[in-house]
Amino acid sequence: MTERLAIEDLTVRYGGVSAVTGLTLTVEPATCTALLGANGAGKTSTLRGITALEPAQGRVLLGEQDVSSWSASRRARTGIGHVLEGRHVFPGLTVADNLRVAAGRAKAAPIVDPLELLPELVPHLDRRAGGLSGGQQQMLAIARAVAAAPRAILLDEPTNGLSPKLVDRIIEIVALLRDAGFAVLLVEQRLEVAQGLDADVVVLRHGVAEHRGRGSDGDLADVLHHAYLS
């Protein structure tokens, strides 16, 4: 069962510096929202605040359940899947064992079979994850998140460092997750990813939502240019 993901007045601070200030957004099931903005705009901090990897103020709701006071591990077990920036996999384990570890933490069967979603991994099930290419590791990171049976999925820059061909494949995978019913919250630097998904878009600048629109909006490139330079 997928769920709506909502945050209300989310604020994340590092010491006396506010990385995210009063951010409110809702991601409905079977939709994708993309957080865009320059480095340091608060995109990754938003995801880490939602999953309690960083202390945050405000409310986080998964469906009707308020998880704001819950630990990171409890939020993950309850169904907030988080694909971290940097392709976090267990390099010493095989691909198959990476998936088994993730599935072992799940409370239910996954909504989508990770190997049906990512058949590219099937020939590599017996390989150690550390020996995979960057693109394969990114696919494994997504597959691990899916194997854990999430009810909503957060992805932090899944196309970072990938070739144009692999970027297109990641867009396809995210679209499949959305179409399977997941609420998908995506952090990206690449405008073409939001455009390819025709995602709902929130442009962050200095931790504040400066613009909300769609990936298909004709003025989005200009909005981003202003956000990056100002």
Side-chain angles (χ1 to χ4, degrees):
M1 178 180 177
T2 60
E3 297 279 6
R4 166 180 174 266
L5 177 68
I7 61 172
E8 299 175 359
D9 200 27
L10 186 79
T11 297
V12 180
R13 293 189 178 91
Y14 300 99
V17 177
S18 182
V20 182
T21 305
L23 182 62
T24 295
L25 62 85
T26 298
V27 189
E28 296 290 346
T31 71
C32 177
T33 295
L35 299 179
L36 304 179
N39 288 331
K43 305 184 301 298
T44 291
S45 293
T46 297
L47 299 195
R48 294 178 69 86
I50 290 170
T51 55
L53 293 177
E54 298 293 345
Q57 297 174 317
R59 298 180 76 208
V60 178
L61 297 102
L62 184 62
E64 300 303 317
Q65 202 162 30
D66 188 336
V67 304
S68 307
S69 63
W70 294 6
S71 66
S73 59
R74 188 178 179 190
R75 293 187 200 192
R77 289 195 306 271
T78 301
I80 302 180
H82 188 181
V83 180
L84 296 163
E85 183 181 15
R87 302 163 195 156
H88 287 255
V89 297
F90 297 119
L93 297 182
T94 65
V95 169
D97 285 341
N98 267 269
L99 296 176
R100 287 191 193 101
V101 169
R105 298 171 179 169
K107 291 186 174 181
I111 294 166
V112 177
D113 185 319
L115 294 178
E116 289 183 7
L117 177 72
L118 292 147
E120 297 95 330
L121 294 174
V122 172
H124 305 290
L125 288 173
D126 294 329
R127 289 185 63 189
R128 292 187 185 275
L132 300 178
S133 69
Q136 290 166 337
Q137 288 187 17
Q138 184 62 70
M139 291 183 186
L140 177 56
I142 295 171
R144 286 181 64 236
V146 171
R151 292 148 62 193
I153 294 182
L154 283 56
L155 300 122
D156 195 350
E157 295 203 32
T159 68
N160 186 32
L162 301 185
S163 68
K165 182 178 179 180
L166 285 175
V167 169
D168 289 343
R169 176 61 178 137
I170 295 296
I171 292 172
E172 181 182 10
I173 292 164
V174 175
L176 289 169
L177 291 170
R178 176 199 63 202
D179 295 345
F182 289 104
V184 180
L185 182 58
L186 172 72
V187 160
E188 262 299 338
Q189 290 278 356
R190 298 173 186 262
L191 173 58
E192 62 265 31
V193 175
Q195 291 173 326
L197 292 162
D198 193 20
D200 295 316
V201 168
V202 178
V203 177
L204 295 182
R205 188 170 73 91
H206 305 316
V208 176
E210 184 173 79
H211 175 87
R212 297 174 189 261
R214 297 282 297 182
S216 56
D217 291 347
D219 64 344
L220 186 55
D222 290 338
V223 169
L224 276 175
H225 182 72
H226 176 265
Y228 286 177
L229 295 180
S230 60

